[in-house]
Amino acid sequence: MVEARQGLGTFVLEPSRSRNFQVDPATVITVRDVLDLLEFRISFESEAAALAALRHTPEQLRVIKDAVEYIQRLLESGVETKKADFDFHLAVAKATGNRYFPELLEHLGLAILPRARLDLRYISSDNAKEYLCRSNGEHREILAAITARDAEGARAAMRVHLTNSRDRLEGLYAKSDAKAPVQG
C-alpha cells in the first residue's frame, strides 16, 4: 500500500498490523490442531444447532432428516460417510438462517471432521462401524431437538456430539506425539 502526499511524493506504508481472521484447513496437521479445531467447532456448531431449532423451515428440516437417514444407509452398506456427515453439519448450519454459519463450514470443508484428518482406527478403540453408528445416533438426537424446536436441547445435543469426538481424540493425543502428522 502506498500513500500520496501532495508536494511530497508517494510513500510506501508500513504493513497493517491487523490481519483478517482465517482458518486454513491445510494448517490442521497435528492431533493438537484437530483438537483445537474441534473445540472451536463446539462453540459455533452448538449455537448453530440452537438457532436451527428456532429458525428452520420445513424444507431445511427435511434436508437435515434426509442427511441422517442417508448416513445410516451408507453405514448399512459399508460405504464411506465423511461427505454425508459433513452435509449433515452443513444442513444444520444452513437452517440457522445466518449465512456466516454455512460459509464458515464450507470454508473449512471436510477438514472439520477428525476422521478426515486421522485414521479412524486410531480415533476409536471400538469397531469403526459401531463408532460411526453411535455418531449417527448423536445426529438423531440433534435432529430430534431441532424438530421439537428445542433450542437448548439442540445446543446440548450438538455439544455432546462434538465433545464425544473431542474426548476420544484427547485419549489419542495423550498416547501420541503431539506433533504427529495427520492425514491431509
Side-chain angles (χ1 to χ4, degrees), residues 118-125 168-169 171-172 175 183:
L118 299 166
D119 189 324
L120 186 57
R121 291 172 297 181
Y122 298 107
I123 296 174
S124 174
S125 59
R168 285 185 287 269
L169 282 178
L172 171 64
K175 295 176 191 174
Q183 299 175 19

Side-chain angles (χ1 to χ4, degrees), residues 116-149:
R117 309 302 285 173
L118 299 166
D119 189 324
L120 186 57
R121 291 172 297 181
Y122 298 107
I123 296 174
S124 174
S125 59
D126 300 335
N127 173 297
K129 185 174 180 180
E130 289 173 16
Y131 163 80
L132 294 172
C133 286
R134 186 171 54 249
S135 178
N136 204 40
E138 293 166 359
H139 291 159
R140 287 185 191 289
E141 294 296 321
I142 296 163
L143 170 62
I146 290 172
T147 300
R149 295 201 179 269

Side-chain angles (χ1 to χ4, degrees), residues 9-85:
T10 303
F11 299 87
V12 176
L13 298 174
E14 290 288 323
S16 173
R17 295 197 192 277
S18 69
R19 297 167 78 185
N20 291 333
F21 174 76
Q22 290 185 332
V23 177
D24 182 357
T27 65
V28 181
I29 56 175
T30 67
V31 174
R32 180 75 252 168
D33 294 336
V34 174
L35 281 165
D36 289 346
L37 186 55
L38 258 174
E39 287 177 355
F40 179 64
R41 285 181 62 202
I42 288 168
S43 65
F44 81 86
E45 285 198 67
S46 295
E47 190 59 26
L51 292 172
L54 297 173
R55 299 177 178 170
H56 70 268
T57 65
E59 173 63 19
Q60 290 167 329
L61 183 61
R62 186 192 59 73
V63 172
I64 296 168
K65 181 180 181 200
D66 288 350
V68 171
E69 291 172 357
Y70 183 58
I71 292 169
Q72 193 61 45
R73 285 193 308 275
L74 292 175
L75 287 170
E76 289 167 4
S77 62
V79 176
E80 174 56 57
T81 61
K82 282 185 255 192
K83 173 75 168 77
D85 191 329

